[in-house]
Amino acid sequence: MRLRQGLANQLSDTAGKLEAMQIRLDDGSILPDVSYLTSAQLGRPFKVSWIEVPDRDARTKTIRTQFADGEVTRGKKFEGVWSTSKGCYIVNSFAFGANDLPADATKHDGMVWFYDYDDQTITLVTYFPHNPNAETEGAFPKYADLTFDGPDNVTVTPWGSLVLAEDGVRASHVLSAIPGGPTYAIARLQLSNGTSNGAPTYSEFTGPTFSPDGRILFVNVQAPGITLAITGPWEKYLG
């Protein structure tokens, strides 16, 4: 059944299946966690299979605990998803804490994946190596505006590049990313806790999206809860 307007209203409450992803390696085995992959695998497609969730309503067990380790591909903090007609971009925000990833995997500060609907493959398109200085509020990265961590929301520009909202340590950025290429900051928000003169507390950027004509980039600031409309020319910078 193909997606179309109004389809959801025609489906019963139990229609369809909820399935979990299995990223397949060359020998057919299942990749147990995305953190085993690094920038060395950028641009390489991996075949994907799907396994049905036994109890999709999670009546007795959470969905995660319905699978044993190795049955599905896991990852810490999957967040932003943006779909195109060809596939969807999926953000994995970070994994560096003791309980974030398997002990023999590689810490990272963020990944962006692209799942291809027709090929049923998934490809790592953006990778942020782990910076130990981003783990805590202690030491500050030496070139803080050149290192990014904690990508969260994602949107696709009218020209095929990506815009990410960063939800990492300290300053929050709006990032432009070329799939398989560089990432750079296009806006910066210095996080603050407010001041005695009543200045607001600013937190992370969220929810970037473009107007239909691509002229305006809308971004939110989660606290104090504001939306910014930023006029281009975006095609010049992001096209």
Side-chain angles (χ1 to χ4, degrees), residues 196-220:
S196 57
N197 64 7
T201 296
Y202 290 104
S203 64
E204 64 185 274
F205 282 119
T206 65
T209 190
F210 282 87
S211 61
D213 61 7
R215 291 184 59 251
I216 302 174
L217 171 62
F218 296 96
V219 294
N220 305 305

Side-chain angles (χ1 to χ4, degrees), residues 1 11 47 64 79 81 109 148 172 209:
M1 181 177 294
L11 301 176
K47 294 298 292 185
R64 169 179 281 274
E79 288 207 79
V81 175
D109 284 346
F148 309 122
S172 177
T209 190

